[in-house]
Amino acid sequence: MIGVAYEGPTNDWAASLMNHLKYSFDIKYADQVKEVYYESADGDATKQLGQVENLLTKGIDALMLQPLSETAMVPLVERAYDMGIPVIIFGSSIQTDKYVTYVDRDNYKVGNLYATWVCEQLGGEGKVVTIMGEPGSGYSEDVLRGVNDALAKFPNIKNLGTEYGEYSGAVTKQKMETFLSANPDIKGVIVDGALMAMGVLEAYDDAGLEYPYMTVDDLNLFQKKAREVGYTDYISVPGGSEAAAVAADLLFKYLAGEEIPQKYLMDVRIMSGEEVQAMIPEGMPDSYWGMCLIPEEHIELYYPKE
Amino acid sequence: MKRNKVSYINKHTGVFLILASILVISALFSPSFVAPNNLLAMLRQASSLGILTIGQLFVIIGGGVDLSVESILQMAITIFMYGYNNFGDAGLIYGLIAAFIFGAFAGLINGILVIRFNVQPFLTTLFTGSIITGIRMIWVGIESAGHVPELIRFFGRDKTLNIPNAVIVLLLVAIIAGVILNKHVYGRKLIAVGTSFTTSVYSGIRSHRTVVFSYIISGVMAVLASIIISGYIGYADRWIGAGMSFNSLIAAVIGGNYLGGGRGSVIGAIGGALLMTIIVNFVILLGLPASYQHIFSGLVLIATIFIGSLSKKISLQNLIGRQ
């Protein structure tokens, strides 16, 4: 019996994470699973506390947790550890090491790859802007550290500012329009999210400027837009929701007695737009992600074709 | 009697004084910031919030608040995009009609709950908003509804004679709202009801109906704002407009409007929405790090409210002095 506590389908990324979990337990490892208790917190850390507490009373053999708070979940994770329940952390970190393994994307490396690529495309000089997700989020700060470290290696690149687009196209478009009003010569935009990247393209469109070199994740929404307008000067990295499937693999390896690392950061590589678009089967909805670990024969269960 | 110059200062002085200061300082940093095209671009950015704030203003004048507007806005996008995605251009028209009917219906429910069942407007509209969001999630989940059609883009992005259509819509809404509030009998009734509900009832005003209608106006404005904002960004993300309920309330208040009801100004509401929008652009222009931007924006908004209340105090002193 396995307990799974996760964010819930509050956005495309979280929905993909959930789909990977369901595929792993309902299909891939169905023969090894007696029962799975899913607890969806709808993005609410307080709600998740109660859910995990509840799971620990059900006699589960393992707990898979996507912590919605780095600190609030610590006592419960440590309690599970003390009860002898193996805990797998995935998708976001937690401030304790009393778990079997922690699986996530290497977010620092993502930021580093993003900024390095943009600076290289500009030949090491010019103006750029950085657009991150949420201010104060540990995830965004990890990516930003990678961005800033890379930018430091290009002294002739001027980062006009780091703004937070709050994963909103409208917010990002407004901020980008402001940057462009004073600096129409911005040639590179480091963006950490597809919805925000849509806002950047819109701002350039409205200003009548050529699209900049840009970075983005592998969400189909953006890839479709890029294909539609013939935009190719961007790179993508996997969004990281596939960490849920990797975490499930590691759980079953652990339960089978194999050794697994305590921290597993999925390696990332940059992909061209064409490369990502080729990974996306025909007719997939906007919410589909290029780096999907659900095999093609099962995809329609989770992503019905449009 | 010679009129004292300070009597020209009114409750909206704060927001427009701050707006003017921001534009002057911005011009020193970057002359292009105050170029006509950029000013129009900022007006366009403020249009959806402005329309939402005008709707909110009607509710505020009647003595209530409407925190369901962002949920109505998001549901409206879902409704008209459902029509468009499934039935093409004709579906879009039916979807738009259905969205407006929905907005009016949601306002009707809000109004009835507040006035007939005497439930706090703050809680009522917060919960109806939550119910609307829940229904939307059950209906369509989080899946984006895709790129919006050209008709919607026409209102949110395109221009007529170089003026953004969103700004034209905002101005039309503002003029109509101004006429209703200042010249039409409904506006006078709403002000009377907001000033004293009991007195208005004894005066023979159909107070319940008047308040309910203010929520209907707010619901319809939310649908109009949904067209502008989705047309501005170009696709129908399910969470467009998040945070706009509170922003419209804040915009109305910093524009010099009074949450207690009984008075309110469309010009102030637009000033508030403009300030809420331009301040974001201003802190970016100043190049402040994100954490300082919050502090700076907070200080500017407090200064706006302070100047607004100071001007009210001066006006009151002048009035007493004249007597």
Side-chain angles (χ1 to χ4, degrees), chain A residues 188-210:
Chain A
V189 186
I190 301 157
V191 194
D192 187 36
L195 287 174
M196 298 185 293
M198 300 280 285
V200 172
L201 288 190
E202 278 285 322
Y204 273 82
D205 257 339
D206 284 5
L209 297 167
E210 267 187 37

Side-chain angles (χ1 to χ4, degrees), chain B residues 28-244:
Chain B
L28 297 175
F29 273 84
S30 166
S32 60
F33 192 83
V34 289
N37 271 347
N38 196 47
L39 291 177
L40 284 172
M42 287 190 287
L43 272 170
R44 182 178 66 172
Q45 292 165 0
S47 295
S48 51
L49 180 61
I51 291 166
L52 218 49
T53 307
I54 290 172
Q56 186 77 262
L57 181 70
F58 276 86
V59 177
I60 289 174
I61 292 172
V65 290
D66 189 352
L67 296 183
S68 66
V69 286
E70 75 183 59
S71 301
I72 296 173
L73 181 153
Q74 290 162 342
M75 180 63 110
I77 294 174
T78 305
I79 291 171
F80 68 69
M81 285 304 292
Y82 179 84
Y84 176 68
N85 287 334
N86 290 285
F87 308 104
D89 289 339
L92 173 66
I93 301 301
Y94 292 126
L96 284 168
I97 294 167
F100 277 109
I101 292 170
F102 165 76
F105 181 71
L108 177 72
I109 298 296
N110 276 333
I112 289 173
L113 286 173
V114 167
I115 214 74
R116 287 277 175 205
F117 299 100
N118 206 21
V119 188
Q120 282 286 335
F122 183 90
L123 292 177
T124 305
T125 55
L126 193 66
F127 294 144
T128 51
S130 172
I131 291 167
I132 291 167
T133 300
I135 293 170
R136 183 170 58 88
M137 295 287 283
I138 292 167
W139 180 22
V140 290
I142 53 128
E143 184 66 40
S144 149
H147 297 282
V148 301
E150 280 306 307
L151 178 66
I152 302 295
R153 298 236 73 184
F154 173 80
F155 288 107
R157 177 198 59 187
D158 295 347
K159 297 175 181 177
T160 301
L161 300 174
N162 209 34
I163 299 170
N165 295 335
V167 177
I168 295 171
V169 173
L170 172 66
L171 289 176
L172 285 174
V173 167
I175 291 167
I176 294 167
V179 169
I180 290 173
L181 287 174
N182 296 305
K183 305 283 181 196
H184 195 272
V185 65
Y186 173 74
R188 286 195 285 275
K189 281 183 185 174
L190 187 64
I191 290 167
V193 170
T195 305
S196 171
F197 189 83
T198 313
T199 310
S200 70
V201 171
Y202 285 122
S203 308
I205 294 173
R206 287 175 160 171
S207 309
H208 289 72
R209 195 176 287 188
T210 305
V211 171
V212 169
F213 197 63
S214 72
Y215 282 94
I216 292 175
I217 291 172
S218 179
V220 170
M221 289 298 115
V223 179
L224 200 52
S226 78
I227 296 169
I228 301 296
I229 196 169
S230 60
Y232 169 64
I233 187 60
Y235 64 92
D237 162 26
R238 298 291 188 217
W239 298 109
I240 283 183
M244 285 182 90

Side-chain angles (χ1 to χ4, degrees), chain B residues 9 17 29 82 160 254 286:
Chain B
I9 296 173
L17 196 65
F29 273 84
Y82 179 84
T160 301
I254 61 171
L286 291 182

Side-chain angles (χ1 to χ4, degrees), chain A residues 191-260:
Chain A
V191 194
D192 187 36
L195 287 174
M196 298 185 293
M198 300 280 285
V200 172
L201 288 190
E202 278 285 322
Y204 273 82
D205 257 339
D206 284 5
L209 297 167
E210 267 187 37
Y211 291 142
Y213 290 105
M214 196 162 67
T215 62
V216 67
D217 55 39
D218 55 340
L219 184 65
N220 194 25
L221 173 78
F222 180 84
Q223 306 298 334
K224 279 163 84 172
K225 167 85 178 175
R227 196 163 41 211
E228 185 188 307
V229 298
Y231 174 53
T232 53
D233 288 335
Y234 69 97
I235 48 120
S236 294
V237 299
S241 56
E242 66 278 11
V246 177
D249 290 344
L250 287 173
L251 169 66
F252 286 100
K253 276 186 182 172
Y254 177 81
L255 293 175
E258 287 183 44
E259 266 204 23
I260 59 170

